[in-house]
Amino acid sequence: MKKLVLMMAACVAACLFTGCDKADDGKMKLVVGFDADFPPYGFKSGSEYKGFDLDLAREVCVRRGWTFVANPINWDAKDMELNSGSISCIWNGFTMQGREAGYTWSEPYVDNSQVVLVKTGSPIKTLKDLAGKKVGVQTDTPVQKELAGKGDKKAVAALGKTFTLIVMPNYNQAVMDLDSGAVDAVALDIGVAKRKMADKPGKFEMLKEIVMTETYGIGFKKGNTQLRDEVQATLKEMVKDGTMAKIAAAYGIEGNALILK
């Protein structure tokens, strides 16, 4: 009976560790929940899911001998997916600020800023020029809360006047609406803004002022410190041997500060 209890406890621990069952090959399975419309961190290219964060996760799995699974999720349902065990973690340009108490976090690994993207030649040159304009944001993001006046309100104070906040399901839609003229500007992550400018050279430009600064971390289910520690230790190995910087360069975000030591 004692042996049976110990075996059951080990199985429970393994499930907590991965956030899901084992793969068909018997290996532990890391199921990464991500937004498939969030390049360069996570996106679909042909039939494959790619991105800076997904490539980091793949490499972690290679080094740990785990099976990697990329699971695109509805961003609004991310907490339900994590708490139900459908995914092992949320790893996709996931901002820590404003969410500190909701997850067991890795150490921050990217220092990210929120910036404003406009069409090239736009009369909008500063944050104050957004007064009276339509500003697109992605739903359930810190910059949405900030511009809605629910953050620390520094950005709202900088604008000085009112503007219309247009909340959208993803940044791809927001930038499409910017391109069509449905919105005048989009507030978004600097890495995403740079990717959009690179995808359409000369089409968009970024304001010099930033809206807010933030850091990215990996969000695990509250209390799942074992999985967090394993992933974080492997990431630190990848920082030391230059792998993280190499992956960042492949996606054109090497200019973003990689802050994990």
Side-chain angles (χ1 to χ4, degrees), residues 233-244:
T234 309
L235 274 182
K236 289 188 174 184
E237 293 173 2
M238 292 161 59
V239 170
K240 290 180 180 178
D241 66 21
T243 302
M244 182 181 282

Side-chain angles (χ1 to χ4, degrees), residues 14 22 151 223:
K22 288 185 177 181

Side-chain angles (χ1 to χ4, degrees), residues 30 56-69 234:
L30 184 73
L56 290 181
R58 281 190 184 92
E59 181 63 18
V60 166
C61 288
V62 168
R63 297 187 183 206
R64 288 287 171 188
W66 300 342
T67 296
F68 169 77
V69 178
T234 309

